[in-house]
Amino acid sequence: MSWKAIIFGRRTVKATLIRLVIILVGVIILYNWYSNNASISASPNLDLHIAIDQFEKIEKDVTTETKPLQVYDAHPKCGNNQPCKRAETSFHIKSGYAQMEAPTVCLNDKYIIGKDPNFAPSRGMNVALIDETSQDVIKKEVFDLYDYDSSKLVEFLTSVQNKQILLLASFDDAAARLSSEARQIFKDDFGSSLIKDLNYRGNWVFIGQKGVPNSPFLHEKVYLFNKAEGEWAAQIEIEGCLPMQPAKTEDSESNAQVQLDTKIKCGLSRPCSTNEIAISAYSGYVQKDKMFPSVCVDGLVVMGQNVPGNKPGRGLNVAIINPETKKMDKVATFDTYESEAQSRQLGEFLASVPHGHIIIVTSFDEVTQQLTYEGTSSLIDVGSGQIHLLEYRDSYILIGQKGLKGVSPFEKRGARQDLGWGPKVEFKECIPKIIKPEGGAQPVANNRKRQEFCRQYEGYAEFCAEENIQRPLLPSVLEDENLKKNKAYFTPIIVIPGLDLNALRIQLDSLLTVPGLNPQMVMVANDGDFAEPIALTQLYGFRPEKLKVTSQYYYHMHKAMEVAFMKYPHNDYVIILEEQFKVTPDFLNYFAQTLPLLDKDNSIISISAWNDNGFTDTCGDPTLLYRTENFPGYGWVLRRSVWNEMKNNLKGCCENRVWHEWLTGEMRKGREMVVPDVSRLNWFKKDIFNPDQDFIDVFFNNRKSIGSDIVQLTDVDKLVKDDYEKEISRLLESSTELVSSYIDMCLQDRTDRFEFNEVTGKVYSVYYEEKGEPSEQSTLKKLCKCFGLFSMDNFRVKGLHKGLLRFYYKGNQFMLIGSQSPYFAKRKNSQ
């Protein structure tokens, strides 16, 4: 026998002996186990089989734990749902939609078509040619197959080298002049099986490799144009992982790869990393019976119909997850269909959640009826970008995070179907422990509604322009935590439009610039039951209200005010916004600071955001407030108690446009308005005839507003009646009286405008003798013209308080005091 045989023979004997020792140890273990388990000793053979099964199971578990762990990217790239393995490259290709939304092609988190400033996608086939090894972009081209034939496309495809990778996305139309030769090249050389079907205005997305049969790089999808579904085919996309080593990028370090467990939890398609949480959650929905929501976290169902103590109910069901332990912290249900109190409790509940905790919200049945601003804003604070769009019986799910700045990518809304409920909406994904926000990007579904509106209705050139149509219609976020519970942000805003729908659109756009605006508190009172203004209102997430058609705008205002207090029975105030006025971002912040005056002082009948004398040269201090006897209106607060007075005497009170003055004489009862020095409204012109056109041309031009600033008012409490009288007395006593010779230049028509170049920051008083009938205001009107204030023969001077007119002029405060005013007695000099 050779020495090799002896050695290998000895090794075989040694291995056999080791196996016998292992078996003997196993038998001893089994015997001890058997001896200590008399409860199952009736069948020794059965006992032995059970023991062996358990032994094999233990061996299997150990083997599983020692398998090599798979390695994935820490986070999905290109906006995909799942990350790729270490040796793979992420891709995401989305077709264009109609002529409105351009296509995108992303590879390894880099957009090579669609977000590249050096390459603009356009109609036809948008293609990128990639080196199969380095991933370098060799060439990018667009082939317009609507205006041009396929000759250049065929030339390009023929020039592609074997193994090079082609990525393609269609836009608008890519088939009108697509030749059979080009289709055959795509089929034979690149492996497409769907190009043969692509039709006029259909969509196609594609990845293929030249000259490689059954290439692992082949991915494609097609959606055919069908006239019954619309003017273009639906948008389509493909995403996934290509079997190629990803190219290094600048942020490779931040995208460090992590190890994944081999266990798959909550029914996901892959295991999650240590930086992720396996979550499967879906909303309640209705088929034949109502189906309850369910939430599974890290392999454990924490909310569901059969989970003791955590059965969901009607409204919004919320589960709080600690991302470090991956355990459920607490679960709660808020019936926002039944009770506003439940909505407030939702806000309080979310406010108490620790920073960084994951928040899962699922709907069941109906959630919108009593969902207040506080509840809505609390969800926006944790990542919602769609909660304000929720309509009656829609379904909803959100996976957000406390402290998230922006919109969570994990949010879905299911629109109600016919007269039923919304469909089930769900997420079944590995959710990162730290959710990366989308930065406020509007979900495509909402943009799609805007696109559908623009296809259906004409006359919205700017709104429907290509550069605007994808912009989100979302309100600005309120950063000031102290204001979020202020009464102003819970006060209904009643928009009362005229017949010009573009003017309404401008108004609604301006409301979205107001931080903290609650869309559910904006009611647009439409004059009649017409589809177009209702559809426009709903695009913004505001509440349309159909009113009976009226013959005059002021009748329409009366009806809107009546319905407002019916629709909001628990509110003591509403804010009225009249046609042709845009609000500034400071609009609600202004009312947040001034509304408390209505509770403190019954002599204040209303608060307006408009200054009748707020022209370019006659205002300038945005922190300053006045009391005035006349009613400016336009953007103003209406008390419920005042409406109860008005509604029984509308003919004597308010049967004209507001600029002819409402609430005069006995209706005013000595009460006054509070107005700002600088308006929080902008008037915009409409090209239609108005019987008061001469007045409009004078009164609404050369106006000044606060712009985009958010301003802290000063001395608001001094607007209370007694304190205001003290303030006026103090100002008059400290003022410098303007000499009579200076005033005479105006009164004697030697100048039509004061040239006043004194230092700023002073207070000046102007005393004058009112000649003739006081109601004619002839002297005062002359002075107003010289200062650039409003003055017209058929209209009274606006902004008076007990015969005193207060305004801001060239950096100084001025007060005009007529001889009929009780303040005239405070004159220090008798010139």
Side-chain angles (χ1 to χ4, degrees), residues 133-149:
T133 303
S134 66
Q135 296 186 24
D136 290 340
V137 179
I138 300 170
K139 186 179 290 187
K140 289 188 277 190
E141 297 282 355
V142 178
F143 298 98
D144 184 348
L145 300 171
Y146 181 82
D147 280 341
Y148 303 97
D149 63 27

Side-chain angles (χ1 to χ4, degrees), residues 70-142:
Q70 301 178 59
V71 181
Y72 284 75
D73 288 328
H75 303 290
K77 297 179 180 179
C78 289
N80 290 355
N81 290 318
Q82 304 292 347
C84 292
K85 296 177 184 177
R86 174 181 297 184
E88 296 177 330
T89 296
S90 299
F91 74 88
H92 194 128
I93 302 179
K94 183 189 295 184
S95 73
Y97 174 68
Q99 298 171 335
M100 302 172 187
E101 185 174 340
T104 57
V105 174
C106 177
L107 192 69
N108 195 29
D109 231 14
K110 181 181 179 181
Y111 282 88
I112 54 180
I113 291 178
K115 296 184 181 181
D116 181 354
N118 300 315
F119 182 83
S122 59
R123 179 177 59 196
M125 289 187 179
N126 295 263
V127 302
L129 187 62
I130 306 296
D131 183 88
E132 72 279 9
T133 303
S134 66
Q135 296 186 24
D136 290 340
V137 179
I138 300 170
K139 186 179 290 187
K140 289 188 277 190
E141 297 282 355
V142 178

Side-chain angles (χ1 to χ4, degrees), residues 348-514:
E348 294 167 359
F349 177 80
L350 292 178
S352 69
V353 173
H355 185 86
H357 275 41
I358 302 294
I359 298 166
I360 305 172
V361 183
T362 63
S363 68
F364 183 43
D365 198 346
E366 212 296 302
V367 305
T368 65
Q369 289 298 96
Q370 301 296 332
L371 185 60
T372 64
Y373 169 76
E374 186 171 2
T376 301
S377 62
S378 67
L379 291 168
I380 291 172
D381 287 344
V382 298
S384 174
Q386 301 186 49
I387 189 64
H388 67 286
L389 302 174
L390 221 58
E391 297 179 2
Y392 181 68
R393 284 185 177 174
D394 283 355
S395 53
Y396 178 74
I397 187 170
L398 167 71
I399 303 177
Q401 191 163 33
K402 187 65 179 288
L404 185 67
K405 300 295 184 183
V407 176
S408 170
F410 307 107
E411 183 181 31
K412 290 180 182 178
R413 177 174 66 98
R416 177 172 61 122
Q417 300 168 340
D418 300 323
L419 298 178
W421 285 262
K424 177 174 76 171
V425 287
E426 65 180 320
F427 284 103
K428 188 178 286 189
E429 298 188 26
C430 293
I431 304 298
K433 288 183 177 180
I434 301 176
I435 295 175
K436 184 179 179 181
E438 292 184 332
Q442 179 68 3
V444 173
N446 191 44
N447 289 335
R448 185 65 55 82
K449 286 178 69 175
R450 184 169 177 174
Q451 293 162 8
E452 291 169 356
F453 176 88
C454 290
R455 286 199 298 271
Q456 187 170 357
Y457 300 107
E458 297 179 351
Y460 298 89
E462 181 182 357
F463 182 73
C464 294
E466 185 176 351
E467 64 271 19
N468 293 328
I469 199 164
Q470 294 302 330
R471 289 182 181 175
L473 297 176
L474 285 174
S476 300
V477 176
L478 181 64
E479 299 290 347
D480 190 340
E481 293 289 334
N482 295 323
L483 286 177
K484 289 185 177 179
K485 294 186 179 181
N486 188 283
K487 184 183 291 187
Y489 295 87
F490 299 88
T491 300
I493 299 174
I494 313 304
V495 180
I496 309 178
L499 300 178
D500 186 337
L501 295 186
N502 251 313
L504 171 60
R505 192 265 308 166
I506 292 170
Q507 271 191 309
L508 302 187
D509 275 344
S510 73
L511 283 167
L512 293 185
T513 69
V514 179

Side-chain angles (χ1 to χ4, degrees), residues 55-65:
F55 182 86
E56 289 176 348
K57 183 176 185 298
I58 292 169
E59 185 180 30
K60 181 179 179 182
D61 287 345
V62 172
T63 303
T64 301
E65 292 300 327

Side-chain angles (χ1 to χ4, degrees), residues 45-57:
N45 292 330
L46 178 62
D47 296 344
L48 182 61
H49 289 310
I50 293 172
I52 291 172
D53 286 343
Q54 291 192 2
F55 182 86
E56 289 176 348
K57 183 176 185 298

Side-chain angles (χ1 to χ4, degrees), residues 118-414:
N118 300 315
F119 182 83
S122 59
R123 179 177 59 196
M125 289 187 179
N126 295 263
V127 302
L129 187 62
I130 306 296
D131 183 88
E132 72 279 9
T133 303
S134 66
Q135 296 186 24
D136 290 340
V137 179
I138 300 170
K139 186 179 290 187
K140 289 188 277 190
E141 297 282 355
V142 178
F143 298 98
D144 184 348
L145 300 171
Y146 181 82
D147 280 341
Y148 303 97
D149 63 27
S150 300
S151 57
K152 289 188 176 181
L153 173 62
V154 169
E155 182 182 343
F156 170 80
L157 295 176
T158 304
S159 70
V160 175
Q161 301 297 309
N162 280 344
K163 295 189 178 180
Q164 290 178 342
I165 300 169
L166 187 72
L167 299 92
L168 182 151
S170 65
F171 186 23
D172 188 354
D173 173 66
R177 302 183 68 177
L178 179 63
S179 67
S180 58
E181 181 184 7
R183 292 177 190 265
Q184 196 66 35
I185 293 174
F186 277 120
K187 177 179 180 294
D188 294 343
D189 293 358
F190 292 88
S192 172
S193 61
L194 301 178
I195 185 62
K196 67 182 189 304
D197 301 320
L198 183 64
N199 64 350
Y200 172 68
R201 288 188 176 177
N203 270 324
W204 184 44
V205 286
F206 175 76
I207 301 178
Q209 189 174 24
K210 179 75 174 283
V212 180
N214 303 314
S215 170
F217 291 92
L218 180 61
H219 297 269
E220 66 178 332
K221 185 182 289 187
V222 71
Y223 198 103
L224 303 184
F225 166 66
N226 183 344
K227 181 71 174 177
E229 297 179 1
E231 295 299 320
W232 279 268
Q235 189 174 44
I236 54 174
E237 55 192 308
I238 53 176
E239 65 174 68
C241 305
L242 298 177
M244 57 195 299
Q245 191 72 30
K248 290 186 177 180
T249 60
E250 292 181 4
D251 60 345
S252 292
E253 198 168 316
S254 65
N255 282 317
Q257 293 162 329
V258 296
Q259 292 184 333
L260 299 185
D261 197 338
T262 56
K263 293 182 179 179
I264 296 176
K265 300 176 180 179
C266 293
L268 274 63
S269 60
R270 70 169 178 90
C272 297
S273 75
T274 54
N275 294 329
E276 298 173 317
I277 308 170
I279 294 179
S280 173
Y282 57 82
S283 69
Y285 60 103
V286 175
Q287 293 175 338
K288 291 182 179 179
D289 299 312
K290 290 185 177 181
M291 309 299 291
F292 285 80
S294 176
V295 175
C296 174
V297 178
D298 197 40
L300 181 66
V301 178
V302 299
M303 179 196 297
Q305 183 174 2
N306 299 315
V307 180
N310 291 344
K311 181 178 178 179
R314 181 176 62 189
L316 292 171
N317 299 274
V318 185
I320 309 301
I321 309 300
N322 184 326
E324 295 307 317
T325 64
K326 300 185 181 181
K327 302 298 182 183
M328 185 268 292
D329 188 15
K330 48 188 172 181
V331 169
T333 297
F334 302 93
D335 189 350
T336 53
Y337 171 81
E338 180 68 26
S339 167
E340 284 189 5
Q342 290 278 295
S343 189
R344 289 193 293 272
Q345 290 169 21
L346 168 64
E348 294 167 359
F349 177 80
L350 292 178
S352 69
V353 173
H355 185 86
H357 275 41
I358 302 294
I359 298 166
I360 305 172
V361 183
T362 63
S363 68
F364 183 43
D365 198 346
E366 212 296 302
V367 305
T368 65
Q369 289 298 96
Q370 301 296 332
L371 185 60
T372 64
Y373 169 76
E374 186 171 2
T376 301
S377 62
S378 67
L379 291 168
I380 291 172
D381 287 344
V382 298
S384 174
Q386 301 186 49
I387 189 64
H388 67 286
L389 302 174
L390 221 58
E391 297 179 2
Y392 181 68
R393 284 185 177 174
D394 283 355
S395 53
Y396 178 74
I397 187 170
L398 167 71
I399 303 177
Q401 191 163 33
K402 187 65 179 288
L404 185 67
K405 300 295 184 183
V407 176
S408 170
F410 307 107
E411 183 181 31
K412 290 180 182 178
R413 177 174 66 98

Side-chain angles (χ1 to χ4, degrees), residues 638-656:
L638 174 63
R639 289 178 185 259
R640 182 181 293 272
S641 58
V642 172
W643 168 247
N644 290 336
E645 296 176 36
M646 291 169 60
K647 68 183 181 181
N648 297 319
N649 190 24
L650 288 171
K651 187 171 183 179
C653 152
C654 318
E655 203 163 76
N656 215 326

